[in-house]
Amino acid sequence: MSTHTTTETTHYHVQKRRRAQFIEDWRKNHRTVVAHEDVETHPTARGSRVGVYVGADGDRPTRTMDALVHELDPGTTTTTHRHSWDAMVFVVAGHGWSEIDGERVEWGPGDSLHFPAWSWHRSGHAGEPGDATARYLTFSSEPLLETMGMAVIEDAGHAPWDTLPPRPPYSEGRDGADPYAARLRRLARDQRARRSGRLHTSWDELELRNTPRGTRTTFLLDRAIGYQASGITMAMFEIGPGRAQSMHRHPGEAWLYVVEGSGESYLGTEPEGGERHPWKKGDLIVVDHFLWHQHINTDPSRTAKVVRIHMFDSLLETMRALCDPLVLFEEPPDHIRDAQAGDPSTIEWPPLQRPTWP
């Protein structure tokens, strides 16, 4: 059977025009800072209120990750649902709990959680009427799964967890030297690991350490501390009063949620000549693909704490392999980096206290 093109021009011209149009349309989505007061929350059928910092459901589409805010009033329990992507949670206010595949995790301000792909989960407020609203941020890989046509969500209402089907089954490995047997063993190992990862980081466990970029920092959710995420990583760094993080750039989108403090971020296609964008507590800094960026604490007396999220382990490592020998992570030479960052050991860091809201 022969095939015939249905276009009146060549494959070359169609593809070139399509790629150019995609980039032109995509640049219209560019953001720098999303102010928390511009994020409107809406009641949902799950029982919570949800607002979109960044994501297609809030008219700020992205390609790899989204960023949502959720609010739970006292006495509220959400419906149970699951989805084909995973999500990371950072709590900013109130106390509550999340049930993840039947395991109940208590949380409070500053705690972090992981909802693995295909895990049934729901959340509830732990307080009494009159207590503060619980508020948390979620960062998920839904846009990346949607790009590949693999984004699936299933809501189970308030059905008990033990009545729900388990995560999708997989075949255990089998003996044999053939490629199929090797694939079964390899994917079975991967699934066993992903289904046994860590789910919760308490704020009380955190220990921040000085870095050459002039900040002190710690992982919140990452494979380095026992999590089995799809590739999203979440860390927190603190900038000293009147100090700055050194400049760098990398591919892929990155979100930075301002937990405490105020400041500004330099964003530009070159190390000089870009613009500075102010931010404050509750805002989300959006670092677009491959921009030079530097985060500055403009307060002369208080530190600033920022939670940083980006797709590193999976997407960026793949991009590095595909784009080699291009260098996809850049920062200035050490002497320039050190001049920008200063010596973090000279900062009198305050005791670590749980976040508050507002």
Side-chain angles (χ1 to χ4, degrees):
M1 178 183 293
S2 62
T3 59
H4 301 278
T5 181
T6 58
T7 62
E8 296 182 359
T9 187
T10 68
H11 154 269
Y12 167 83
H13 291 93
V14 170
Q15 192 171 61
K16 186 175 182 179
R17 182 170 61 248
R18 185 171 61 208
R19 289 173 176 171
Q21 185 63 46
F22 173 80
I23 293 299
E24 181 179 341
D25 292 342
W26 186 249
R27 285 173 177 163
K28 297 175 184 177
N29 299 323
H30 178 65
R31 300 291 188 275
T32 53
V33 175
V34 181
H36 76 83
E37 61 268 22
D38 293 335
V39 179
E40 183 179 354
T41 60
H42 302 271
T44 72
R46 296 196 67 209
S48 58
R49 291 187 299 277
V50 177
V52 180
Y53 274 90
V54 181
D57 299 314
D59 298 324
R60 299 185 183 101
T62 65
R63 298 298 289 181
T64 59
M65 306 177 298
D66 59 16
L68 311 180
V69 61
H70 306 251
E71 293 182 338
L72 296 174
D73 291 327
T76 299
T77 298
T78 69
T79 59
T80 300
H81 77 174
R82 66 177 179 176
H83 30 72
S84 56
W85 59 91
D86 65 340
M88 292 185 168
V89 178
F90 182 75
V91 182
V92 298
H95 290 82
W97 53 269
S98 292
E99 187 180 77
I100 307 168
D101 273 346
E103 181 176 343
R104 187 180 176 102
V105 178
E106 308 283 342
W107 46 254
D111 288 3
S112 307
L113 296 92
H114 181 219
F115 296 153
W118 290 117
S119 64
W120 291 106
H121 55 276
R122 62 174 182 161
S123 299
H125 194 295
E128 302 293 334
D131 287 349
T133 296
R135 181 182 177 93
Y136 57 85
L137 281 293
T138 61
F139 308 97
S140 88
S141 56
E142 187 276 340
L144 183 61
L145 271 290
E146 187 175 355
T147 298
M148 297 184 290
M150 298 173 66
V152 179
I153 191 168
E154 182 180 6
D155 194 292
H158 291 286
W161 172 79
D162 57 8
T163 67
L164 300 174
R167 298 190 205 181
Y170 63 91
S171 296
E172 291 291 345
R174 63 176 60 173
D175 294 336
D178 62 281
Y180 181 65
R183 174 172 289 187
L184 284 176
R185 291 193 299 269
R186 177 172 55 84
L187 296 183
R189 286 194 302 269
D190 179 72
Q191 283 301 309
R192 284 194 296 270
R194 290 186 180 277
R195 300 181 188 206
S196 61
R198 188 174 174 182
L199 298 177
H200 177 227
T201 298
S202 170
W203 179 270
D204 295 328
E205 301 173 14
L206 300 182
E207 180 182 357
L208 276 68
R209 298 184 177 181
N210 292 344
T211 75
R213 287 190 186 161
T215 60
R216 64 171 185 167
T217 185
T218 185
F219 279 123
L220 298 178
L221 292 97
D222 188 89
R223 62 180 177 178
I225 57 173
Y227 287 90
Q228 293 289 337
S230 65
I232 309 176
T233 180
M234 186 161 72
M236 183 176 69
F237 64 87
E238 188 170 16
I239 312 172
R243 304 287 282 267
Q245 182 194 50
S246 62
M247 188 174 293
H248 61 286
R249 69 173 178 172
H250 48 71
E253 302 160 316
W255 316 145
L256 296 101
Y257 176 78
V258 183
V259 180
E260 299 286 352
S262 59
E264 58 187 22
S265 292
Y266 170 88
L267 300 172
T269 56
E270 300 293 339
E272 296 180 342
E275 297 183 358
R276 293 194 174 202
H277 302 273
W279 42 258
K280 62 188 182 307
K281 178 178 179 176
D283 291 353
L284 189 78
I285 306 163
V286 178
V287 178
D288 201 13
H289 173 80
F290 222 51
L291 285 182
W292 285 101
H293 54 282
Q294 181 182 29
H295 310 296
I296 304 111
N297 179 3
T298 56
D299 192 312
S301 59
R302 297 191 308 155
T303 64
K305 295 186 186 72
V306 177
V307 169
R308 184 220 67 197
I309 306 95
H310 65 59
M311 292 286 287
F312 181 82
D313 289 345
S314 58
L315 182 63
L316 296 192
E317 286 184 356
T318 300
M319 291 176 66
R320 287 179 182 178
L322 294 177
C323 295
D324 186 66
L326 294 177
V327 176
L328 297 186
F329 180 87
E330 291 186 90
E331 58 181 344
D334 289 356
H335 69 283
I336 298 178
R337 179 201 65 193
D338 295 344
Q340 291 177 343
D343 183 358
S345 66
T346 63
I347 301 172
E348 187 174 340
W349 297 107
L352 197 58
Q353 297 181 337
R354 284 185 179 268
T356 59
W357 184 266

